[in-house]
Amino acid sequence: MLSISLVALPVVVLGFTASIVSGFEPFDGQYVHPSANNSIFEWWYSQAVSTATPDEGNPPANAIVTFNQGQEFDTGETGLPEYYLTVSGSFPNGSVFSIEVPTPSGDIQTYGPKVVGTWGTSGSFATAANLSTYTVFINASEYGVSGTLMILSNAPHHYGCNSSTDPYASSALSALPPGTTLSPAEEILYHQFGWANTIPGGSAIVDLVINGDPLVFAGHGYHDGNFGTQPLNVFVDSWYWLSAQVGPYDVVMSLQLPTNATRELTTGYLARSGVILQNQCSILGTRTEDVSTLTPYGAVWDAANNVTVPQGFIVEYNLDDGQQYSFNLTGLGQNPNAIIYRRWIGTASGGAVGEAQYEGTTVFEWLNPGMNTYTPA
């Protein structure tokens, strides 16, 4: 058994020093070292969406499990847990659930390239050495949740800008003129916020008990991890993220606007039948080929928060060979639906422009620390 080896590399972030894990192996392992004495966070996220037809007007049944180290938002509250796991989702009848389980520890161990996470006695996960599977085990009946979630990969892993070089988006800055000065928020976003997408798409098997009710289904699965040296609301003004599985296609994209900045970072990943068609990151508007864009559409009134939100997104890929792909993602339900953070579950359709079109499922999010308002086009 190998344990994570940490070294203190100085990273100056608005006046403090963070500890960074040395190297980027294993891929699904520990990248930073959160503790009660710093503002660092890291999480391991997984989602499963049923491919069965849901009840009338409801989103597909779904389950989302996240293992957390540190707090990704600075709410000003004290006494929040350093280690915790969250389980949320909805049943076929539309009934939603959201459970947080605090734990005394959140440990990552490695066995060569295999990764095992253990959050006290309440939950654990295991990533296979070849990244082919990600399995979650939950034993927190006292909080109303127990069972398993397993994801089997059908798409190659990747970082946001490349397949295996590093988890940061700094390569997108090459499009800027030499000597360009970045804002403090941009420095964090491009150099100190990382993303590792271990399973961009695959099949999922869920067997959970939620507050005494079974949630059992098969469907689409996804797993990734993020880490940062500051809470998201310190450096992110707005962040759209989405994933979809549509026929043979695995779709992953994000659009991020740093705080007090105008340059938006876009990342796009598209694979067909396990073959990567695009894996890029760029600053929005700096190029016309090998680029991906997302456009919100529609208007849904959120009476609980007294705001209008998008109904869905049009996602478009323009490959470096000129081939174009387009997907329509439609939200059918939200959980959570807070102004600062929304997650939709829904359906997706699309494919190569002018060729066969397919149907599938989607999960997409809007992190909105800047409290931006949505205005339909």
Side-chain angles (χ1 to χ4, degrees):
M1 182 182 73
L2 299 177
S3 62
I4 295 295
S5 174
L6 300 176
V7 296
L9 300 178
V11 177
V12 178
V13 184
L14 304 182
F16 88 100
T17 300
S19 294
I20 303 296
V21 171
S22 178
F24 302 133
E25 295 292 342
F27 188 88
D28 204 27
Q30 186 97 54
Y31 285 85
V32 292
H33 188 203
S35 78
N37 299 318
N38 61 39
S39 299
I40 302 173
F41 67 89
E42 186 161 11
W43 73 67
W44 289 258
Y45 166 97
S46 58
Q47 69 186 38
V49 182
S50 174
T51 49
T53 302
D55 294 354
E56 184 71 23
N58 294 322
N62 59 90
I64 293 170
V65 180
T66 308
F67 291 83
N68 300 274
Q69 296 177 335
Q71 295 286 332
E72 67 269 26
F73 286 101
D74 181 4
T75 64
E77 298 180 65
T78 59
L80 296 176
E82 182 68 23
Y83 307 105
Y84 60 103
L85 60 94
T86 59
V87 184
S88 63
S90 64
F91 289 86
N93 64 4
S95 175
V96 301
F97 57 89
S98 182
I99 300 170
E100 180 175 298
V101 181
T103 63
S105 59
D107 299 321
I108 300 296
Q109 295 178 324
T110 61
Y111 304 78
K114 178 182 178 179
V115 177
V116 174
T118 305
W119 264 240
T121 59
S122 297
S124 63
F125 68 82
T127 306
N130 61 0
L131 309 184
S132 61
T133 62
Y134 177 82
T135 307
V136 169
F137 306 90
I138 301 175
N139 181 29
S141 298
E142 67 275 27
Y143 289 91
V145 56
S146 61
T148 60
L149 181 155
M150 183 176 186
I151 302 172
L152 298 87
S153 180
N154 63 14
H157 65 283
H158 71 104
Y159 292 126
C161 299
N162 51 72
S163 294
S164 59
T165 304
D166 70 71
Y168 303 106
S170 54
S171 62
L173 300 172
S174 62
L176 299 179
T180 297
T181 300
L182 301 181
S183 70
E186 288 176 318
E187 288 283 358
I188 300 173
L189 176 63
Y190 288 100
H191 295 296
Q192 298 168 25
F193 177 68
W195 177 40
N197 192 180
T198 305
I199 303 181
S203 57
I205 302 172
V206 173
D207 188 355
L208 295 172
V209 177
I210 305 296
N211 296 319
D213 295 321
L215 179 62
V216 180
F217 64 83
H220 293 146
Y222 172 96
H223 162 56
D224 71 6
N226 283 93
F227 62 91
T229 57
Q230 285 281 337
L232 291 170
N233 51 316
V234 169
F235 64 95
V236 172
D237 183 77
S238 177
W239 176 8
Y240 292 117
W241 170 88
L242 59 88
S243 70
Q245 290 179 261
V246 187
Y249 295 101
D250 294 297
V251 176
V252 187
M253 189 181 295
S254 70
L255 180 64
Q256 303 162 45
L257 176 65
T259 303
N260 297 323
T262 58
R263 291 184 284 256
E264 294 180 275
L265 169 66
T266 176
T267 70
Y269 174 93
L270 179 65
R272 175 170 180 159
S273 301
V275 177
I276 297 176
L277 302 178
Q278 184 185 89
N279 186 183
Q280 70 85 29
C281 72
S282 57
I283 294 175
L284 190 65
T286 59
R287 63 193 192 199
T288 58
E289 292 183 345
D290 190 24
V291 69
S292 41
T293 60
L294 61 87
T295 306
Y297 72 84
V300 176
W301 177 248
D302 177 4
N305 294 297
N306 198 35
V307 295
T308 299
V309 298
Q311 178 184 2
F313 289 88
I314 300 297
V315 181
E316 296 175 303
Y317 294 86
N318 188 356
L319 307 189
D320 53 10
D321 63 1
Q323 179 72 57
Q324 296 180 327
Y325 296 81
S326 181
F327 300 88
N328 185 332
L329 281 50
T330 303
L332 298 177
Q334 294 184 54
N335 182 25
N337 68 337
I339 290 180
I340 195 174
Y341 180 31
R342 301 176 182 275
R343 179 188 295 131
W344 287 263
I345 312 295
T347 57
S349 61
V353 174
E355 298 183 12
Q357 302 294 287
Y358 300 89
E359 304 290 329
T361 63
T362 184
V363 176
F364 53 89
E365 299 179 336
W366 183 16
L367 278 68
N368 188 20
M371 305 291 283
N372 300 277
T373 57
Y374 167 67
T375 303

